[in-house]
Amino acid sequence: MSNIVFNIAKGKVAAYYDRVKSNDPSTSALVLTPIETSGLEADSALIDSDTVADVVDGATNKQTTMGEKVLTDSDLASIPAPDDGNDRNDRSLPTVTWTAASGNPISKILVSYRPDVGSPSDSTDIPLTLFDFAQTPSGADIQMTTGVFFRAS
């Protein structure tokens, strides 16, 4: 589950997920971006970022060798009903594999909303959540297993 929900996305993460799953617009996607360990700024500094460009405008860097994973409607689970028994609303990510992962060590995964996969831009992508995922790429596959990345309660 997320360590932080960016201020810009508070109260909206489920809605962005639902938009991608519902093809509204059909060009939208969720993007998973590995974030390097070296230079990683504190969550308390990153939480105020309004775009992905803002997240990486300081010392924080994307790990570009592994690359982003773009998740479209067909990759996402069905929109779940609210969990009335536990008074919460969850959203999950699928299992994702970075094949033959290499490059610098990572500490986190950034989940962002991309309004148009045909025109990817850090200045228009909206950061949603950021969670711990410490890995040292060694040429082997790195797999992130399915699970809840966001919970509203």
Side-chain angles (χ1 to χ4, degrees):
M1 193 154 22
S2 66
N3 292 84
I4 65 169
V5 176
F6 289 87
N7 290 336
I8 189 102
K10 288 188 174 162
K12 301 178 190 175
V13 175
Y16 282 123
Y17 180 102
D18 296 356
R19 288 190 73 179
V20 173
K21 185 61 186 171
S22 300
N23 279 307
D24 176 28
S26 62
T27 57
S28 64
L30 294 183
V31 179
L32 306 180
T33 305
I35 300 295
E36 290 186 354
T37 302
S38 179
L40 180 62
E41 296 163 277
D43 289 352
S44 59
L46 296 172
I47 199 167
D48 295 330
S49 301
D50 292 340
T51 66
V52 171
D54 292 341
V55 173
V56 296
D57 72 348
T60 300
N61 295 305
K62 292 180 179 184
Q63 205 279 26
T64 58
T65 308
M66 286 174 57
E68 299 175 332
K69 292 293 183 177
V70 177
L71 306 176
T72 62
D73 62 310
S74 62
D75 300 310
L76 301 179
S78 298
I79 298 169
D83 182 347
D84 293 333
N86 292 303
D87 299 326
R88 63 187 186 209
N89 197 335
D90 295 343
R91 293 297 181 274
S92 296
L93 294 171
T95 296
V96 173
T97 302
W98 282 270
T99 305
S102 62
N104 295 331
I106 65 169
S107 286
K108 301 208 181 251
I109 298 290
L110 169 65
V111 181
S112 58
Y113 171 77
R114 179 169 289 161
D116 185 356
V117 293
S119 300
S121 171
D122 288 351
S123 63
T124 57
D125 289 0
I126 300 167
L128 303 179
T129 67
L130 186 69
F131 59 87
D132 292 340
F133 190 73
Q135 300 287 320
T136 302
S138 65
D141 292 355
I142 291 178
Q143 188 172 73
M144 182 191 79
T145 57
T146 189
V148 172
F149 82 101
F150 173 75
R151 173 171 288 157
S153 58

